[in-house]
Each structure stands twice: as structure tokens, then as C-alpha cells.
């Protein structure tokens, strides 16, 4: 007998939920199937500069209004520092991390100088890092670390690729996907300011929460290549994936949190019922 999957919805409290989030949340909850369904909620609030407790409260309220229920306790990434540090230490011991001192501006300048292709293979991450800090000497690293008061940590994607060999993951839509470990390049696994990153946190948390089916938008498909590499390096179980389409508004533009007109709050204030909003999000009862 197939066991029902454990799914999750993992919003970042950087704004109000909009229809795109409602779609993702309903998609994940429905995918959990089963009675009782195991549907989890994770608050991805590592980016302390952008996340607000008021948005977290609003997200929980909107999800409940939409008719969703989830397992307690809710996992908050801001409380998971020790788990992320332990994972980083394992990766460090494998010799596949290096400190990076570049600012965003320096990276953009370097990419422009190298005349990189305009295509952005890195998905949400933008074009791959040009590797400026990869080959600094130990001495230079120490000097720059002192001067900069710390560093970000990047994965050496080529070294990691050698260690893990051929990998794949299963997407319920796309089927068996062969991993390209270089797709995101040398991604940041620990930001200088917060000591972790979306990529590291999501992999560690999905494993710790025993999520067996990761559902999320297709814009994150490139990230899954890196996540699969991290699972292999850290010896973590591999969930199944379902990267779903992003629902679009009337203009066909991707719904963004900035688009307040489509915020669940706004629709509620306009007098729409929960069932109407579920239908707008693509899940008619
Ligand atoms: N916090 C991420 C987002 O809002 C979650 C992505 C994921 O489901 O892995 O896009």
C-alpha cells in the first residue's frame, strides 16, 4: 500500500499572502491526501531584515480563513540555527565550502566584465557566481576575513559534483530529472549576516520534518538540482517533488506579494467568501 505523502507549505513572512500563495498552500494541502492528512507549515523567516512578525500572524490567519489546518507545532527557521550550523560543519569537513567576500555590486561587475551570456541559468539566484573568491590563498582569506568581519560561505559546485557522482530526482510532473550539479554554480549556503541560506535551510528542514513530497512553484526547479546535491552530501533522505505552474493574474504577470490588489486580505475586505477565494486560486470546492 502506498503511504500518503507528508507535504508542507513554507511561506516567508515578508508580506501578505496573495493568490499565488493560496494556490501553493492549497496544492500542498490537497497533495497530502489521506485522513488524517499530514500537512505541515514552516515559516521561512531567516531573512531577519525582511521578515516581520505581523506578516507571520497575518499569514496564519489567512490560511485558517482559507479553511486549511496543519500540524502543530509550526517550525520557524529563525529557531533552527544549531541544525543549520551542524549541516555546514559536515559540508566544511568535506572540503567543499569556501569563504566569499564579494559584494553584490562586485559580482555584477565581474559578470559584466566576463561578458556572460544574458540567460540566467541560476533561476531565482540570478546568473552563477563567477568564482572570484574560489582560489584565494589561505593567507589572503584570513586577511580579508579580518578586514570584512566575516564572510559568506559558498559551495564549490565542481568539487561537490565529483563527490556525489550522477544524481536524479523525481518530479510528479516532469518525471525523472537528471541533476546538473553546476546549474546554480557556487551558490551561497551561508550568508555573512544570517549564517545560513534558503538552500541549506530548506534541505535540512524538509529532512528533519520528514517531508516526503515537496510541492512548490516551477520557478524553484533550478534550486532542486542544488538541493539534491546537498541531500547526497549530507546523507539525507530524498523526497519526491512536484513543481507546479505559477498561477497568473489577468494580465498574465506572475503574482507577486507586491501586488497588493490580489492579496488575500484585500479580497477578504472586498467581501469575497473563503470558497470564492479558493476558486480564484484555482481550487473550486
Ligand atoms: N520560502 C520559500 C518561498 O516562499 C519556499 C520555497 C519552497 O517551498 O521551497 O518561496
Amino acid at each position: 500500500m502506498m503511504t500518503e505523502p507528508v507535504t508542507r507549505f513554507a511561506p516567508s513572512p515578508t508580506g501578505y499572502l496573495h493568490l499565488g500563495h493560496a494556490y501553493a498552500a492549497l496544492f500542498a494541502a490537497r497533495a497530502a491526501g489521506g485522513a488524517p492528512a499530514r500537512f505541515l507549515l514552516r515559516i521561512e523567516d531567516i531573512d531577519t531584515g525582511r521578515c516581520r512578525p505581523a506578516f507571520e500572524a497575518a499569514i496564519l490567519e489567512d490560511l485558517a480563513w482559507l479553511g486549511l489546518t496543519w500540524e502543530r507545532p509550526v517550525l520557524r527557521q529563525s529557531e533552527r540555527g544549531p541544525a543549520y550550523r551542524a549541516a555546514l560543519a559536515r559540508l566544511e569537513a568535506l572540503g567543499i565550502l569556501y569563504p566569499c567576500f564579494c559584494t553584490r555590486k562586485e559580482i555584477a561587475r565581474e559578470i559584466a566584465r566576463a561578458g556572460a551570456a544574458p540567460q540566467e541559468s541560476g533561476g531565482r539566484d540570478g546568473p552563477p557566481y563567477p568564482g572570484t573568491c574560489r582560489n584565494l590563498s589561505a593567507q589572503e582569506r584570513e586577511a580579508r576575513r579580518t578586514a570584512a568581519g566575516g564572510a559568506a560561505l559558498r559551495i564549490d559546485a565542481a568539487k561537490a559534483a565529483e563527490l556525489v557522482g550522477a544524481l536524479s530526482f523525481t518530479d510528479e510532473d516532469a518525471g525523472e530529472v537528471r541533476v546538473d550539479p553546476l546549474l546554480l554554480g557556487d551558490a551561497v549556503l551561508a550568508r555573512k549576516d544570517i549564517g545560513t541560506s534558503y538552500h541549506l535551510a530548506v534541505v535540512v528542514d524538509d529532512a528533519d520534518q520528514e517531508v516526503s513530497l515537496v510541492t512548490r512553484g516551477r520557478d524553484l526547479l533550478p534550486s532542486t538540482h542544488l538541493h539534491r546535491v546537498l541531500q547526497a552530501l549530507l546523507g539525507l533522505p530524498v523526497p519526491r517533488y512536484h513543481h507546479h505552474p505559477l498561477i497568473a493574474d489577468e494580465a498574465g504577470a506572475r503574482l507577486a506579494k507586491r501586488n497588493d490588489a490580489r492579496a488575500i486580505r484585500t479580497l477578504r475586505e472586498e467581501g469575497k467568501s473563503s470558497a470564492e477565494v479558493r476558486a480564484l486560486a484555482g481550487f473550486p470546492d
Side-chain angles (χ1 to χ4, degrees):
M1 201 185 82
M2 284 272 289
T3 45
E4 297 287 356
V6 180
T7 68
R8 55 34 168 211
F9 176 56
S12 299
T14 55
Y16 292 118
L17 287 191
H18 60 70
L19 281 179
H21 295 107
Y23 175 81
L26 288 160
F27 190 100
R30 303 258 166 129
R38 292 210 56 207
F39 169 59
L40 314 178
L41 184 61
R42 183 167 72 230
I43 300 295
E44 302 215 322
D45 57 352
I46 49 174
D47 195 341
T48 43
R50 295 174 59 228
C51 296
R52 301 272 175 275
F55 286 132
E56 180 184 324
I59 287 172
L60 298 182
E61 197 194 291
D62 284 345
L63 291 173
W65 181 82
L66 280 168
L68 292 169
T69 51
W70 52 87
E71 278 186 19
R72 277 19 183 218
V74 169
L75 197 77
R76 239 173 235 97
Q77 289 193 325
S78 56
E79 293 164 5
R80 301 264 302 148
Y84 306 144
R85 283 193 289 279
L88 275 176
R90 284 188 71 164
L91 297 173
E92 186 94 61
L94 294 172
I96 49 148
L97 299 182
Y98 65 87
C100 172
F101 307 93
C102 295
T103 62
R104 274 172 204 264
K105 247 195 204 150
E106 285 164 347
I107 295 171
R109 215 180 301 137
E110 182 59 24
I111 288 172
R113 198 190 59 78
Q119 181 209 359
E120 293 194 356
S121 61
R124 280 197 198 180
D125 283 14
Y129 175 65
T132 323
C133 288
R134 192 186 302 124
N135 297 315
L136 296 179
S137 67
Q139 222 176 5
E140 192 154 3
R141 279 182 182 158
E142 266 336 290
R144 294 194 61 174
R145 201 192 298 274
T146 309
L153 289 175
R154 289 185 180 273
I155 185 168
D156 185 327
K159 261 195 202 168
E162 264 176 49
L163 276 184
V164 297
L167 295 173
S168 64
F169 59 87
T170 304
D171 181 279
E172 299 206 332
D173 212 23
E176 192 76 1
V177 180
R178 282 173 61 113
V179 169
D180 174 0
L182 307 183
L183 190 61
L184 296 200
D186 292 358
V188 169
L189 295 190
R191 274 169 43 177
K192 178 182 159 186
D193 55 344
I194 57 178
T196 184
S197 69
Y198 160 69
H199 300 300
L200 184 77
V202 87
V203 164
V204 170
D205 288 345
D206 280 335
D208 283 359
Q209 291 191 285
E210 298 177 351
V211 172
S212 61
L213 174 63
V214 172
T215 70
R216 58 187 176 202
R218 277 195 194 143
D219 59 331
L220 283 164
L221 189 54
S223 298
T224 304
H225 290 250
L226 170 60
H227 298 180
R228 182 67 190 88
V229 170
L230 293 176
Q231 286 152 1
L233 292 168
L234 293 167
L236 299 176
V238 183
R240 293 170 67 82
Y241 289 87
H242 194 149
H243 295 90
H244 54 66
L246 300 167
I247 70 160
D249 66 10
E250 298 89 329
R254 215 200 111 187
L255 285 162
K257 270 184 250 189
R258 278 158 245 120
N259 188 351
D260 285 342
R262 300 289 94 183
I264 306 302
R265 302 255 115 179
T266 314
L267 296 164
R268 285 173 66 178
E269 280 157 22
E270 284 170 10
K272 295 250 185 318
S273 71
S274 174
E276 281 171 321
V277 174
R278 283 198 296 276
L280 277 175
F283 285 91
D285 292 339

